Amino acid sequence: MDRLVIEGGKRLAGSIQVSGAKNAALPILIATLLTDEPCVVENCPTGLRDIRTTVRLLESLGKKVTVDGAAVRVESTGSLKTQAPYDIVQQMRASVLAAGPLLARFGLVRVPIPGGCAIGLRPIDIHLKGFEAMGARRIADQGDIIMSAPRLTAGVLRLRFPSVGATENLMMAAAATPGRTTIKNAAREPEIEDLGRFLSKLGAKVSGAGSATVVVEGKVKLSGARHKVVADRIEAGTFLIATAAARGKVRVLGAEAAHLEAVIAALRKAGAKIGSGRGWIEISMDRRPKPVAVKTAPHPGFPTDLQAPWMALMTLATGFTKVRETVFENRFMHAAELARMGAQIAVSGSAAVVAGVEQLSGAPSMASDLRAGAALLIAALAAKGRTTIQRVYHIDRGYEAVERKLARVGARVERVK
Ligand code: EPZ
């Protein structure tokens, strides 16, 4: 029931370090189910709730997991179970990614169908269709999906939408399936590239990860590996946008500009100065942002996970901004909370129009999901006066020690237990 209390109106200055990417660490940790050999995953954001849930998932399936700072060691304890527990899948949808490795290795898996969440219904039909195209049979039973196949077969899979999760699940299944599997219309996110690197270290041959066509040559027995998780581009983008809203000059360490091209382009259009080099991006902003319309899309388009932070920035723009959300059907929950701070936003279906105001004012608010929470934090940093944000557990799912990191660049953010 923690809350964050923010005194707004402070310019941000200095440097801030991003953690490893949650959305890369999750599939990579789950991919350790593909081997009985020990794996070490480094630069893992172990302070995040979702990483702790993933550790519990691996332990519930029979792995021995040791967490040492940002390094997670995963070892075999003998046999693996092929059923993911409901209480864990219910807490974290990404647990459904265990299906690929278990089905490919053991010809059987039982996973609870993940329910919807605040941002959308989030079905898994593309995952399931892909497994069926690899020869699996599917039945539904008491809220679970049971997939079985004496042995999956390699082949050509075409996704109806470049789903991140489906691409990851099918890449993992293909890594443990002899032969050549081609995934067409695959997701191209940097986290997919990172998973591809890890699967290659386990011994699969992976090419094209990060492009629309991924080719995996799998094999039955995979080895162990040591891997450093890529930096979290969404965390980095959040800090860049926060600096643009609160004004100031901040260097974000660990971030790769190549992973944030659409966001950096939008920030420049809004009037920010941006410099970058290997492993850092620096932003400086000393005025109200100009209105810059965004439309979210799969990578390399504008990331849906930064749509809410972007809207928060545009509440302060010198004009009207159109924000379009094309990836999730219900991802404007933050608009009503931002309006409590004086923002002017009209939502209609998958589009929102934001009329920029000179100044926001602090107010009690509530996070409805992870990135909506980030948007409230950004608005609070720019607002006059004090803001409290409740349901911080949403923010803790994706931002490690956010109040400590922001305090290092001069923000007045406190966690109240
Ligand atoms: C991943 O979710 C991320 N989560 C999300 O980040 C991110 O928003 C999303 O990709 C898009 O970039 C993790 O990596 C753990 P999708 P995922 O499958 O894999 C529909 C955050 O804030 N769809 O690409 O679930 C789906 O409903 C989180 O860190 C189907 O219809 O995303 C959605 O509308 C939130 N059928 C769209 O595709 C399917 O079988 C994109 O989903 C699969 C997806």
Side-chain angles (χ1 to χ4, degrees), residues 242-307:
T243 308
R247 308 189 198 168
K249 182 174 183 176
V250 166
R251 178 170 284 208
V252 180
L253 302 174
E256 294 302 337
H259 295 166
L260 283 166
E261 282 174 2
V263 179
I264 290 173
L267 281 165
R268 284 199 170 116
K269 270 198 214 146
K273 290 198 196 64
I274 304 237
S276 66
R278 201 174 149 68
W280 62 271
I281 305 171
E282 187 170 85
I283 182 168
S284 66
M285 184 76 158
D286 55 14
R287 70 196 67 195
R288 279 179 69 189
K290 294 183 207 135
V292 178
V294 296
K295 179 181 167 190
T296 65
H299 193 82
F302 193 95
T304 172
D305 295 346
L306 289 173
Q307 176 261 101

Side-chain angles (χ1 to χ4, degrees), residues 91-351:
Q91 278 180 40
M92 186 186 71
R93 316 171 42 73
S95 315
V96 77
L97 295 177
L102 296 174
L103 180 59
R105 287 195 68 193
F106 305 107
L108 176 71
V109 67
R110 182 178 186 127
V111 279
I113 303 167
C117 83
I119 65 176
L121 291 176
R122 304 182 74 176
I124 55 169
D125 60 301
I126 305 174
H127 303 232
L128 303 177
K129 281 235 167 52
F131 293 135
E132 285 174 333
M134 295 180 82
R137 286 185 38 242
R138 163 187 13 160
I139 56 168
D141 177 54
Q142 295 171 23
D144 292 351
I145 290 279
I146 303 170
M147 310 280 304
S148 61
R151 172 144 291 291
L152 289 180
T153 48
V156 178
L157 314 173
R158 178 178 293 283
L159 308 188
R160 74 166 171 77
F161 179 86
S163 151
V164 171
T167 303
E168 293 166 342
N169 228 335
L170 297 167
M171 281 171 71
M172 292 192 275
T177 301
R180 184 188 173 90
T181 297
T182 304
I183 304 171
K184 295 199 168 187
N185 196 26
R188 302 166 54 187
E189 274 67 6
E191 294 76 28
I192 303 268
E193 270 183 76
D194 208 29
L195 175 64
R197 281 188 285 269
F198 182 65
L199 296 177
S200 300
K201 286 181 185 168
L202 296 184
K205 279 208 189 71
V206 180
S207 57
S211 80
T213 303
V214 179
V215 178
V216 180
E217 292 198 37
K219 56 186 200 180
V220 175
K221 188 145 182 35
L222 293 165
S223 63
R226 178 179 288 274
H227 182 76
K228 184 176 180 216
V229 172
V230 72
D232 196 320
R233 67 191 166 102
I234 303 297
E235 186 191 14
T238 304
F239 291 145
L240 293 172
I241 295 171
T243 308
R247 308 189 198 168
K249 182 174 183 176
V250 166
R251 178 170 284 208
V252 180
L253 302 174
E256 294 302 337
H259 295 166
L260 283 166
E261 282 174 2
V263 179
I264 290 173
L267 281 165
R268 284 199 170 116
K269 270 198 214 146
K273 290 198 196 64
I274 304 237
S276 66
R278 201 174 149 68
W280 62 271
I281 305 171
E282 187 170 85
I283 182 168
S284 66
M285 184 76 158
D286 55 14
R287 70 196 67 195
R288 279 179 69 189
K290 294 183 207 135
V292 178
V294 296
K295 179 181 167 190
T296 65
H299 193 82
F302 193 95
T304 172
D305 295 346
L306 289 173
Q307 176 261 101
W310 190 258
M311 185 185 279
L313 175 65
M314 290 296 109
T315 62
L316 295 158
T318 55
F320 289 85
T321 310
K322 190 162 184 182
V323 175
R324 281 207 53 211
E325 175 55 59
T326 73
V327 178
F328 288 101
E329 66 272 24
N330 185 35
R331 205 168 201 181
F332 285 139
M333 299 286 278
H334 40 283
E337 289 295 313
L338 290 171
R340 293 174 45 71
M341 302 169 81
Q344 297 184 7
I345 306 167
V347 173
S348 150
S350 65

Side-chain angles (χ1 to χ4, degrees), residues 72 112 201 265 310 360 404 407:
V72 179
K201 286 181 185 168
W310 190 258
L360 295 173
R404 282 208 300 277

